[in-house]
Amino acid sequence: MWKKIILIVAVITLSSCGAKRKGVEASKESKEVVLGKSEAVSYKSLGNGVASISLQLFENNTFKFDFNSIPQPDTNEKPVKISEKGTYTSDGNWKLLNFKNPKFSLAAIFDSNYAGAADFRVIDENNVKINTSKNALPIWGVVCEKQ
């Protein structure tokens, strides 16, 4: 499992390389999303040595996704930082999150190898469907607990 996580970190790190780049930049469309004032549902990663992750869904059908990788000891890895906003639609307990032109792979972050079909489904490069009836979601292989 750690080899796969390190490989994913390496892929994300390489995809975010560039001159004086400290993380993956949010898309212009993401920056234009106005978040709601109160949360409807949120998930936050439990203590781990891999990444700090949060997903907040707001009452106005917007969301914010924050991801900060934690470089492994004795490596030259740089932390990967992702902060994206988007909109979502509801279908009962399932929420379809629409990322506005993400600069990362949803399939890498929402990795089906670490989750069941009842947790989430990556629809395409901009959309992922999550099950908010779950008390925890595995995002990037990290358990994120419902708050």
Side-chain angles (χ1 to χ4, degrees):
M1 178 177 146
W2 283 106
K3 286 182 181 180
K4 184 164 185 150
I5 290 172
I6 290 171
L7 176 65
I8 292 171
V9 169
V11 169
I12 292 173
T13 301
L14 290 174
S15 69
S16 67
C17 291
K20 296 183 181 179
R21 200 167 188 182
K22 294 195 179 0
V24 178
E25 294 176 12
S27 67
K28 181 180 177 186
E29 293 88 350
S30 171
K31 292 176 185 176
E32 294 172 358
V33 173
V34 178
L35 298 174
K37 297 198 185 310
S38 62
E39 290 180 359
V41 176
S42 69
Y43 291 89
K44 196 168 191 91
S45 59
L46 301 174
N48 66 81
V50 179
S52 173
I53 303 169
S54 70
L55 174 61
Q56 300 167 286
L57 280 67
F58 296 93
E59 85 291 337
N60 69 340
N61 289 13
T62 60
F63 71 88
K64 184 172 184 196
F65 175 73
D66 287 309
F67 174 96
N68 293 305
S69 71
I70 300 169
Q72 298 305 300
D74 302 323
T75 67
N76 292 330
E77 294 174 351
K78 301 283 186 216
V80 174
K81 296 181 182 194
I82 298 170
S83 185
E84 287 280 337
K85 294 184 264 182
T87 59
Y88 70 89
T89 56
S90 297
D91 182 11
N93 288 326
W94 288 90
K95 309 298 184 219
L96 178 65
L97 308 180
N98 177 250
F99 288 80
K100 309 293 182 187
N101 298 316
K103 305 290 186 201
F104 59 95
S105 167
L106 286 179
I109 298 294
F110 293 90
D111 189 342
S112 61
N113 290 320
Y114 299 108
D119 295 318
F120 59 75
R121 287 182 223 129
V122 176
I123 307 301
D124 56 34
E125 68 243 9
N126 293 337
N127 297 285
V128 64
K129 201 172 193 179
I130 65 168
N131 186 348
T132 57
S133 71
K134 298 291 192 170
N135 288 326
L137 286 176
I139 301 174
W140 204 54
V142 173
V143 175
C144 296
E145 200 170 73
K146 191 183 236 182
Q147 302 294 296

